[in-house]
Amino acid sequence: MREEFKLLVALQDLDIMIREAEEKKTSDKFKDMGFQLDGLEELQKGRAKLAEKIPVALRNRYERLAGHYSMAILPVTGNKCLGCFVKLPTSFFSSAYSSELLTCENCGRLLFIP
Amino acid sequence: MESKKLVSLFQEDLCIFSLRSRKKSSVLLEMVRQLKASGKIADERFILEMLKNRESLGSTGLGLGVAFPHGRSIAISDLTVLFARAASGVDFESLDGEPTRVFFLILAPSEKGAEDYLALLSQLTSLVQQPETLKKLYEAKNFEALQTILGGNDE
């Protein structure tokens, strides 16, 4: 997988973690189990640093999608977009595109072939 | 999540009964390498970075000698748990300041809901509150012993 896709995936993992720490329902569950979530500010600083490493156009695209969907970038499995579950055209799976970041024509999410 | 289901989530190749590492970062790396060796993940870096980020949010070393490194990522396809043990304990910056002897590393795919993952975490954090169970976990030297503790042989 290309480096910029890896960074995007890492950014999304971090966004999920931040969301879980910010949402009362989830954070309360973690706290009930005994976990402390005091480092949210530190995590957000880490997120900003990571985001800076991603090319601006790609980062903006991700941020736009992340505003709409909980998952903006997804792997392609089973010939479907795991976001909207629409079947992808066979052209997606040709070698010419296998190293590219693709877009689901139905929902617009970013897709990659793992 | 019943005991039978809990024990079924554990695999022998996802257990380290004698961790070699003695530092927090190297313990995480050793566990992530085991995940890769077992074929559970393709790329160590995603998971390692995610786990380190989680530790910066707050140590998952909850005390009582147990830690629960955890997180969700699209780099993992199924709910996965790795058990590790360090008989003499490791400094994992636990909340009670005591060495950590038992680790449950829990990973879940981010494209699925968090329910199963939170349920598993909850079940395991409750399990270690039982002093007898905790003592047995400290002493678990092989997969059969772990299965017995988790209730798999009581079915």
Side-chain angles (χ1 to χ4, degrees), chain A residues 65 69 74 81 83-86 103-111:
Chain A
L65 285 164
Y69 304 120
L74 285 160
C81 165
C84 65
F85 299 102
V86 163
T103 303
C104 172
E105 289 174 6
N106 184 56
C107 68
R109 285 181 178 88
L110 300 168
L111 303 174

Side-chain angles (χ1 to χ4, degrees), chain A residues 1-13 49-63 72-74 97-102 110-113, chain B residues 43 45-46 74:
Chain A
M1 201 195 305
R2 278 165 49 173
E3 184 62 21
E4 65 228 53
F5 306 170
K6 290 184 179 183
L7 291 172
L8 269 187
V9 169
L11 188 66
Q12 182 169 262
D13 283 351
K49 277 185 191 168
L50 178 63
E52 280 173 14
K53 293 180 188 170
I54 300 168
V56 175
L58 189 57
R59 186 173 77 213
N60 288 344
R61 208 170 144 202
Y62 168 82
E63 301 285 13
I73 178 166
L74 285 160
Y97 293 105
S98 62
S99 64
E100 296 299 316
L101 194 59
L102 308 163
L110 300 168
L111 303 174
F112 64 91
I113 297 172
Chain B
D43 191 321
R45 207 180 73 176
F46 283 131
I74 60 172

Side-chain angles (χ1 to χ4, degrees), chain B residues 106-124:
Chain B
I106 298 161
L107 299 173
S110 45
E111 64 268 30
K112 293 175 188 166
E115 292 77 16
D116 283 353
Y117 144 78
L118 288 171
L120 176 60
L121 256 178
S122 176
Q123 190 172 7
L124 289 171

Side-chain angles (χ1 to χ4, degrees), chain A residues 17-79:
Chain A
M17 195 180 295
I18 290 169
R19 203 160 56 228
E20 284 182 350
E22 285 177 336
E23 283 175 3
K24 190 176 181 327
K25 191 180 162 192
T26 326
S27 65
D28 281 352
K29 284 184 183 172
F30 279 117
K31 287 173 187 168
D32 287 347
M33 289 185 241
F35 292 104
Q36 292 186 351
L37 307 171
D38 302 336
L40 192 53
E41 203 175 315
E42 196 62 30
L43 208 56
Q44 279 161 336
K45 282 181 194 165
R47 195 236 184 242
K49 277 185 191 168
L50 178 63
E52 280 173 14
K53 293 180 188 170
I54 300 168
V56 175
L58 189 57
R59 186 173 77 213
N60 288 344
R61 208 170 144 202
Y62 168 82
E63 301 285 13
R64 226 175 13 253
L65 285 164
H68 290 289
Y69 304 120
S70 59
M71 302 285 294
I73 178 166
L74 285 160
V76 175
T77 50
N79 298 356

